[in-house]
Amino acid sequence: SGYNHKQLVLVGRILNAINGLGERLEESLLERMKDKIEKSYLSFTFAQPYQHAFYGADLCFETSKWTVEEKLAALKRVTMDDMRNFSHRLLSSFALEMLVHGNCTPEEAKAIGDLYIEKLKPAEPFEATLPTVRVAQLEDKKDYYYRFKEFNEEDNNSALVSVYQMGPMDLATNSVLAFLHHLVKEPAFNELRTNEQLGYIVHTSIKTSGDNIKGLLFLIQSDGYDPNHLDERVEAFLDRFRTRLVEMEAEEFDTNVQAVKKNFLEKNKNLGEESSKYWSVITDRSYIFRKWTIIGEEVGKITKDQVIAFFDKFVAAGAPCRSKFATQVCAKQHESAMDAPVPDGAVLITNPQDFQREMPLFSLRPKVDVELLKLA
C-alpha cells in the first residue's frame, strides 16, 4: 500500500525476485529459514491451551491439516534441491486471483495482472489440482468429544471449545446466526465468567470451517475446573438462555435488531478494513462483495419467532439438527477428566485422522461464474 504511482515498478521487481529465487537461494539462508520455522512450530507447545483446543478442532474438522509433529518431520527432510524443484513447479502452473483496490484505474489494475502473466508465464492448472478444504459433516442429534492432554505440563489451565455445527447457509440464515450470537455473547460472558467465575477467558464467536461451514462457538479456559465441568456449565447456560430469549420484551428485541443492523451497515473505517472484506469473499469463492450490506438488511427483517426456531433447530438440547463438537484440553491437574465417560450416545474421538476418514464431508460451495459477475 502507498506510493500507488510506483506500484507497477515495485510489482515487476518483486516478480523478478520470485522468478530467480530457486537459483539465488543459498544453503546458509535455507538453514536459517528452516531453523526459524522449526522454532515457531516448537513454540506452539507453549501457546495458550485454548489455542491448542482450536488446533485440535481444526484437525478433526478440516481436510489437508497436518499435526505439528508431521510438519517438523517434513521440515527436517527439506533440501536445496527440494526448494528449487518446488519453486519451478509452483511457478510453472497456477491460478491467479488478485484484488487491486484504492487509487487505481481498471486499466492500471489489468496492467498489474498482465505483468504477472508476462513475468511468470504460468500454464493454466488442471482444476482437479487446485487445493480445496473439505469439512467433516457431523451427524444430527449427536455430540462428539476430542480430548487430549495439555502440551505444556507447566500450564495449569484446561480449555474447552464447543462448536454447534450448522453447515452451509444462505445470507438470510447467516443473518439469524449473527443475530443469535449477538444475543448470546454478553450473557454468556456475564454468567460464565463474572457470576460463575469458571475461568479468566470466556469467549463466543461464529466459527467458519473451510469456506462456508458455519457454527456457534463457545470457549472457556480455566485453571479451577476441568473441561467436563465447563461443558456442563455451557449446556446449563444454553438452557437458561432459551428462557431468556422467549421472555424478551419486544422493545428489547427490536433494540438489539437495530444495533446489529447498524453494525453491519456501518461504513468501513479505512481502506484496509474494506479491502480485507473484499478479499475474504474472494478467498471463500463466494464473490458476494455486498455480503455485509445484505446481511445487515436481512437482520432488519428478523422476528423473535425466527430466532427461537433457529435455536430450537440447531442449539437446544435434543434439537433435530444439533451437531455438537467439543475439544477438551486437560491440564496436568485435571488429567483424571481424560478417563471420565462422555454423555450417553456421544462419540469419543481418539485419532483425528481416523475420525475424518470415517466421516462424510460437506460438499464444496457451488462454483461461481466470475465472468457473469463481471457482466452484471
Side-chain angles (χ1 to χ4, degrees), residues 122-298:
E124 185 175 351
F126 296 113
E127 185 145 353
T129 65
L130 297 176
T132 58
V133 177
R134 302 289 296 277
V135 179
Q137 183 175 1
L138 306 182
E139 185 179 334
D140 289 343
K141 301 182 74 171
K142 191 172 285 292
D143 294 349
Y144 299 80
Y145 289 83
Y146 176 41
R147 292 174 179 163
F148 56 93
K149 296 178 182 179
E150 163 55 25
F151 301 146
N152 179 10
E153 291 190 356
E154 301 302 316
D155 197 320
N156 292 324
N157 287 286
S158 292
L160 168 77
V161 167
S162 289
V163 178
Y164 297 82
Q165 188 187 70
M166 298 161 188
M169 53 183 62
D170 58 30
L171 293 186
T173 311
N174 203 334
S175 71
V176 180
L177 172 58
F179 184 69
L180 174 63
H181 172 247
H182 168 81
L183 295 180
V184 162
K185 186 175 182 178
E186 186 176 334
F189 185 86
N190 288 342
E191 292 189 32
L192 300 177
R193 186 185 183 279
T194 306
N195 297 342
E196 298 191 31
Q197 298 185 4
L198 295 179
Y200 186 73
I201 298 177
V202 173
H203 167 81
T204 64
S205 62
I206 295 174
K207 166 75 170 171
T208 302
S209 302
D211 290 333
N212 64 330
I213 307 305
K214 300 295 184 179
L216 183 63
L217 179 147
F218 288 80
L219 156 69
I220 305 177
Q221 181 168 296
S222 173
D223 63 352
Y225 299 97
D226 67 60
N228 294 316
H229 180 77
L230 303 179
D231 182 62
E232 291 171 1
R233 299 318 302 157
V234 169
E235 290 296 335
F237 163 77
L238 288 172
D239 187 51
R240 295 192 301 273
F241 174 79
R242 189 189 186 282
T243 303
R244 174 192 179 102
L245 179 60
V246 170
E247 295 175 352
M248 185 176 292
E249 297 290 341
E251 184 179 353
E252 181 184 357
F253 186 87
D254 187 59
T255 298
N256 280 285
V257 166
Q258 296 308 315
V260 177
K261 179 180 178 180
K262 180 181 178 182
N263 185 52
F264 275 103
L265 298 181
E266 186 178 30
K267 289 184 178 180
N268 296 295
K269 297 179 178 64
N270 51 56
L271 186 68
E273 182 178 86
E274 188 177 3
S275 294
S276 67
K277 288 182 177 179
Y278 293 153
W279 186 242
S280 70
V281 298
I282 292 173
T283 56
D284 73 11
R285 299 179 177 88
S286 68
Y287 305 101
I288 305 174
F289 294 100
R290 295 185 64 251
K291 174 181 175 180
W292 291 268
T293 301
I294 295 171
I295 291 178
E297 292 168 349
E298 291 294 334

Side-chain angles (χ1 to χ4, degrees), residues 18-26 80 84 87-88:
I18 291 174
N19 238 341
L21 177 64
E23 285 66 36
R24 286 199 292 268
L25 185 61
E26 298 177 352
M80 281 289 291
R84 291 194 181 100
S87 174
H88 290 310

Side-chain angles (χ1 to χ4, degrees), residues 100-111:
V100 182
H101 179 224
N103 189 13
C104 185
T105 66
E107 291 72 26
E108 290 169 336
K110 291 174 183 176

